[in-house]
Amino acid sequence: MSGGCLGAGSTIRTRIALVYGGVFLVLGALLLIVVNLLVRAGTDGEKEAIVARAEEVAAVEAYRIGDDVGRAANEQMLMWSCMALLVIACGAVVVGWWTAGRVLRPVHEMTARARRLSERNLDERLAVRGPDDELKELGDTIDALLGRLETAFDSQRRFIANASHELRTPLATQRAAIQVGLDEDCGVRQVLLDTNRHSERLLDGLLLLARGERGLAEREDVPFAEVVTEEYEDAAVAEHGVVRGSRVLLRQLVRNLVANAIVHNVPGGFVDVRVAGGVLTVVNTGPVVPPDGVEILFEPFRRGEGRDRTGPGAGLGLSIVRSIAAAHGGSVTAVARGAGEGGGLTVTVTLPVTVTRS
C-alpha cells in the first residue's frame, strides 16, 4: 500500500481511511464540545437552586446536596449525550453516503460504459481518468482486454470470409470435374456427387453457424410473418410483427426449422407452422424423443434417432436456429411430444419485435 498522501499514487484504501478518519475526528470533537456546552447550560439552574438551599440547612445535609448535584449532572449529561449522539450519527451516515458516492463514481461510469459494449463496438474503450490507483488500473486492464477481444473478433471475421472463399472453390471444382469427367451411367459418379453436395451443405452450415454466433453487423426491419410465409406458404399467421435483424438469417432460421420438421417425420405425419408477432411455433410428428434428449438435439452434429452421418443433413439445423435466434436477442425452446400425440417436437422461437399489428 502506498503512502498516506492524497496524491496521484495514493490507494483507494488509504484515501477512504484518511477521509473517514478525518470525518469522525471532526464529528467526535464537535460531539464533545456540544455535549459539554449543553451539560453546562442545563446544570446552571440546578446549581443555583441547590446553593440557595444549602445556606438554610445544617452541614449534615451537605452530602445529600452533593448527591443531588451529581444526580442532576448525570441526568443532564445522559439526556444531552443521547440526543447529540443521535444527531451526529445521522450526520455521519449522510457524510458517509456522500463520500462513498464520490469514491465509487468511477466504478459506476465504468459499469455504464461496459454495458454499452458489444462485438459491434469493441473499438470503444472505458478510458478511465483520474489518479493512478486501483480503479485506474482496473479500467486500463479492461481496455487491454477489449483490445485483445477486438483483435480476436476481427481475426474470426477474416477467417470466415477466407474460409468461405477458399473452401467453396475446391468443392465447386471437384463437382465440375465429376460431372464432366465421368459418364452419367458410371455408378461412382452419383456417389461422388452426393458426397460433394453433403460437403457443401456441411460447409454452408458451419459458416452460417459461425456467422450467427458472432452477432449481426447490420440490422433492418424485417416483417417476420412475411419471411415465414415465404418459406412455408401454409403457415398460419395470427399476428404480424417487425423484427430488427437480418432477413437472410431469419429466412434460414425458418427454413431450417421447416426442413427439420419434414426430414424427421413419419409417413402420414404432419407439419404445423404458426407465427404470432415474433413467436414462431413449428409442430411435427416423428420419432418419440425422450424429454432428457431434447436439449442434445441443439448441439452441433446431433441427429435424430436412427440417423447417421451419411444422412442428408449435417446435424447443424437446430444449432443454427438457436445461434440465429440468439444473434437477434431471442430464444428457442423445444418440447418432446408423447407417443399418443404422434411423437416429434414442438419448437418455439421467440424474437423481440419492434412493431406488432393484428
Side-chain angles (χ1 to χ4, degrees):
M1 191 171 68
S2 61
C5 64
L6 293 178
S10 61
T11 64
I12 295 296
R13 178 177 295 181
T14 301
R15 283 187 289 172
I16 291 178
L18 291 176
V19 168
Y20 277 99
V23 168
F24 280 105
L25 180 62
V26 172
L27 294 178
L30 290 175
L31 176 63
L32 292 178
I33 294 173
V34 169
V35 169
N36 279 277
L37 290 177
L38 293 175
V39 169
R40 180 177 299 179
T43 55
D44 281 344
E46 294 287 342
K47 181 181 67 175
E48 295 298 332
I50 293 173
V51 170
R53 195 175 106 200
E55 295 176 353
E56 302 173 357
V57 297
V60 294
E61 301 230 345
Y63 291 107
R64 189 174 61 191
I65 295 174
D67 291 340
D68 292 340
V69 172
R71 184 172 56 256
N74 289 334
E75 290 175 354
Q76 291 289 320
M77 174 71 77
L78 180 61
M79 181 184 65
W80 290 111
S81 295
C82 292
M83 295 180 62
L85 181 60
L86 181 61
V87 173
I88 298 299
C90 294
V93 171
V94 173
V95 173
W97 181 271
W98 178 83
T99 304
R102 294 279 297 182
V103 172
L104 296 178
R105 182 179 299 173
V107 177
H108 298 313
E109 293 177 355
M110 284 193 293
T111 302
R113 293 176 185 173
R115 284 174 178 166
R116 293 194 297 267
L117 295 176
S118 67
E119 70 279 356
R120 294 182 294 274
N121 59 349
L122 286 176
D123 57 323
E124 297 183 11
R125 297 293 182 268
L126 300 182
V128 178
R129 293 173 295 181
D132 188 16
D133 52 24
E134 287 92 339
L135 293 180
K136 181 70 163 56
E137 182 181 1
L138 176 60
D140 293 343
T141 302
I142 295 177
D143 284 342
L145 174 61
L146 291 174
R148 293 193 294 271
L149 287 175
E150 182 183 12
T151 301
F153 271 87
D154 289 341
S155 176
Q156 183 192 48
R157 292 188 182 100
R158 289 193 299 269
F159 170 78
I160 293 174
N162 294 335
S164 177
H165 174 73
E166 296 296 333
L167 295 178
R168 288 177 187 273
T169 301
L171 287 174
T173 303
Q174 184 186 68
R175 184 177 65 253
I178 294 172
Q179 291 173 338
V180 174
L182 297 177
D183 296 332
E184 292 186 4
D185 57 353
C186 178
V188 181
R189 183 178 188 270
Q190 190 60 43
V191 175
L192 293 176
L193 286 175
D194 290 342
T195 303
N196 182 271
R197 293 190 185 97
H198 179 80
S199 298
E200 288 180 338
R201 287 195 298 267
L202 177 60
L203 173 61
D204 291 340
L206 288 172
L207 293 176
L208 191 59
L209 181 61
R211 182 181 176 185
E213 289 182 344
R214 79 172 189 265
L216 303 178
E218 297 180 357
R219 293 175 181 263
E220 60 177 322
D221 290 338
V222 181
F224 191 47
E226 179 181 309
V227 171
V228 174
T229 53
E230 287 176 356
E231 295 298 324
Y232 193 77
E233 295 181 355
D234 296 332
V237 180
E239 188 179 64
H240 292 265
V242 176
V243 176
R244 288 285 296 172
S246 168
R247 189 183 189 95
V248 174
L249 290 180
L250 289 175
R251 289 189 64 175
Q252 187 65 46
L253 178 148
V254 179
R255 186 179 307 150
N256 280 19
L257 277 180
V258 174
N260 185 79
I262 294 174
V263 171
H264 298 278
N265 215 310
V266 293
F270 70 89
V271 175
D272 182 63
V273 179
R274 299 179 180 274
V275 59
V279 180
L280 170 64
T281 305
V282 178
V283 182
N284 70 288
T285 52
V288 177
V289 180
D292 57 354
V294 173
E295 190 63 26
I296 300 177
L297 297 177
F298 286 93
E299 298 179 5
F301 305 108
R302 290 284 185 171
R303 295 172 173 82
E305 182 180 356
R307 300 192 176 271
D308 53 31
R309 296 184 181 275
T310 62
L316 294 171
L318 292 181
S319 300
I320 293 173
V321 169
R322 173 166 286 182
S323 177
I324 295 175
H328 287 79
S331 61
V332 181
T333 59
V335 178
R337 291 161 46 89
E341 300 173 297
L345 293 174
T346 299
V347 182
T348 303
V349 178
T350 304
L351 301 174
V353 294
T354 56
V355 178
T356 303
R357 57 185 178 86
S358 301

